[in-house]
Amino acid sequence: MTARPTMRDVAQAAGVSTMTVSRVINGEPMVLPETAARVEQAIRRLGYQRNDAARRLRRQGQRTQTIGVLVDDLANPFFAALAAAVEGNARLHDYVVLIGSSADSIRREREVVAAFSARQVDGLIIVPVAGSHRFLRSQISLGTKIVCVDRPAEILNVDSVLADNRTGARRAVSHLLEQGHRRIGYLGDYERIWTAQERFAGFCDAFADLGTEPDPELVRHCTPTNRGMGAELTAALLKLANPPTALFTSNDVMTMGAINALADQGGRIALVGFDEFALADKLTPPVTVVAQDPTAMGAAAAQLLFARIAGDTSPARELIFKPQLLIRGSGEIPPERAAERRERQR
């Protein structure tokens, strides 16, 4: 036989039912000694090995020692670091982690959750896509523990681990305003995404603190599929008759795209980005960012989940992490430098 022998193969070889084979394997009574001997002989001859994982899946109330992690995009450094932190914590609990990406699609999210559920995971850590998550209620009713991270699923009464996106963005834009900038461009995700909503609200809050509003001509919402989009939008803003003197980019992908565009234009304007990224402190000038801690957030989400799996029935908790503004140089370029740059280009 080339395929791994099954219990049915053993039953056929021994001339008995699969129920009889199961009883022999599990040491249950009510099997004649000669029948048991025939089954054991077939097991040895075929090289049958019991699949303990499958056996656990069939037994109600038994843990499978697996959890599922669903993020937006594993290629994004933030989500990669978050997933790695969950996996590291899971190893301490002797758990295996299944990981998937939703690509910001509610349909894909449902598909991945269904695949995880078919494997009877003990819990789920999810970065929720915008849309209804009522479909998760059936998983909760079956005993699957769920923790949301980075974004909440508002209709679910589950634990969540979030960053204070609004305050972080507000602080970043206030920093640019303190440098004298008033024409500040905004590059962000689609507003249907909860983090994008919060960060844009923080952007507007900073202007409201001064009794003013941002110029809507300088605001761009789009999907951050790659750096090219951020570069394209930045280039378009710089070509305006009255371009921005500063930019606030609401995620690391947009920030890197903006940097590419600014380099291609042969000059710099002030820039503050949301999210740390590799080598941000090594560029010229180093990039001022609002830094989250995806490792701490992932570890916290895992700890909440394993506590629930272990039997914690306390009310749902919301942990909020405060991002830090890392002042490095790019956000401190004064408006006059941007104006000089415009004059050189004319």
Side-chain angles (χ1 to χ4, degrees), residues 14-344:
V16 298
S17 68
T18 54
M19 179 62 73
T20 298
V21 175
S22 176
R23 286 171 177 165
V24 172
I25 290 172
N26 293 308
E28 297 177 5
M30 298 187 298
V31 180
L32 294 174
E34 57 270 26
T35 303
R38 197 161 68 246
V39 171
E40 290 170 356
Q41 183 181 28
I43 288 173
R44 288 193 297 270
R45 180 161 54 84
L46 296 176
Y48 171 80
Q49 291 182 326
R50 184 174 66 180
N51 189 333
D52 286 327
R55 179 169 173 260
R56 283 198 300 269
L57 292 179
R58 296 189 186 100
R59 294 177 60 184
Q60 293 293 331
Q62 291 291 323
R63 295 177 187 168
T64 62
Q65 298 296 117
T66 60
I67 62 171
V69 176
L70 178 58
V71 300
D72 185 336
D73 178 10
L74 268 174
N76 185 299
F78 175 85
F79 293 121
L82 189 151
V86 173
E87 198 275 335
N89 198 279
R91 284 202 309 270
L92 300 177
H93 293 267
D94 295 323
Y95 263 70
V96 173
V97 179
L98 308 177
I99 301 178
S101 297
S102 67
D104 195 32
S105 163
I106 189 68
R107 179 178 178 180
R108 175 63 179 162
E109 181 182 66
R110 287 173 179 265
E111 291 173 349
V112 175
V113 169
F116 288 163
S117 300
R119 289 160 176 77
Q120 299 287 316
V121 295
D122 296 328
L124 295 168
I125 292 177
I126 299 178
V127 177
V129 172
S132 174
H133 290 83
R134 287 186 175 86
F135 71 95
L136 290 174
R137 287 177 173 171
S138 61
Q139 296 302 316
I140 295 172
S141 67
L142 291 172
T144 305
K145 311 305 179 184
I146 296 178
V147 174
C148 293
V149 63
D150 187 55
R151 311 165 189 170
E154 296 180 3
I155 67 169
L156 298 180
N157 186 31
V158 298
D159 296 323
S160 57
V161 178
L162 313 171
D164 190 348
N165 292 275
R166 186 166 184 163
T167 298
R170 182 179 188 171
R171 180 69 189 94
V173 179
S174 293
H175 181 68
L176 290 171
L177 292 168
E178 289 165 3
Q179 311 305 309
H181 295 281
R182 293 298 180 268
R183 294 191 59 75
I184 302 174
Y186 174 90
L187 302 182
D189 292 342
Y190 284 136
E191 287 186 275
R192 68 170 183 266
I193 300 174
W194 182 82
T195 49
Q197 296 172 12
E198 291 292 295
R199 292 172 193 178
F200 184 62
F203 175 82
C204 296
D205 287 344
F207 281 91
D209 290 340
L210 293 181
T212 184
E213 297 179 350
D215 185 341
E217 183 185 31
L218 305 181
V219 174
R220 299 289 187 275
H221 296 283
C222 71
T223 178
T225 53
N226 53 54
R227 296 186 193 182
M229 182 62 71
E232 180 181 329
L233 293 177
T234 300
L237 288 175
L238 295 177
K239 290 177 182 177
L240 292 174
N242 189 10
T245 63
L247 287 177
F248 172 66
T249 48
S250 74
N251 59 62
D252 51 356
V253 176
M254 285 293 186
T255 303
M256 289 184 278
I259 290 169
N260 288 344
L262 290 172
D264 291 342
Q265 294 289 326
R268 294 285 183 181
I269 64 174
L271 170 67
V272 178
F274 205 110
D275 284 333
E276 178 69 293
F277 61 95
L279 303 179
D281 59 337
K282 300 296 188 294
L283 296 174
T284 304
V287 182
T288 296
V289 299
V290 178
Q292 302 184 79
D293 192 341
T295 298
M297 292 174 68
Q303 290 162 10
L304 285 172
L305 184 66
F306 287 120
R308 296 300 183 185
I309 291 173
D312 183 357
T313 59
S314 61
R317 280 167 279 183
E318 182 180 80
L319 302 183
I320 299 180
F321 284 72
K322 299 289 185 181
Q324 291 184 304
L325 178 64
L326 304 181
I327 297 174
R328 291 171 170 155
S330 69
E332 294 67 60
I333 297 174
E336 293 76 14
R337 284 273 302 279
E340 293 170 1
R341 175 181 174 279
R342 288 201 305 271
E343 289 301 321
R344 289 198 303 272

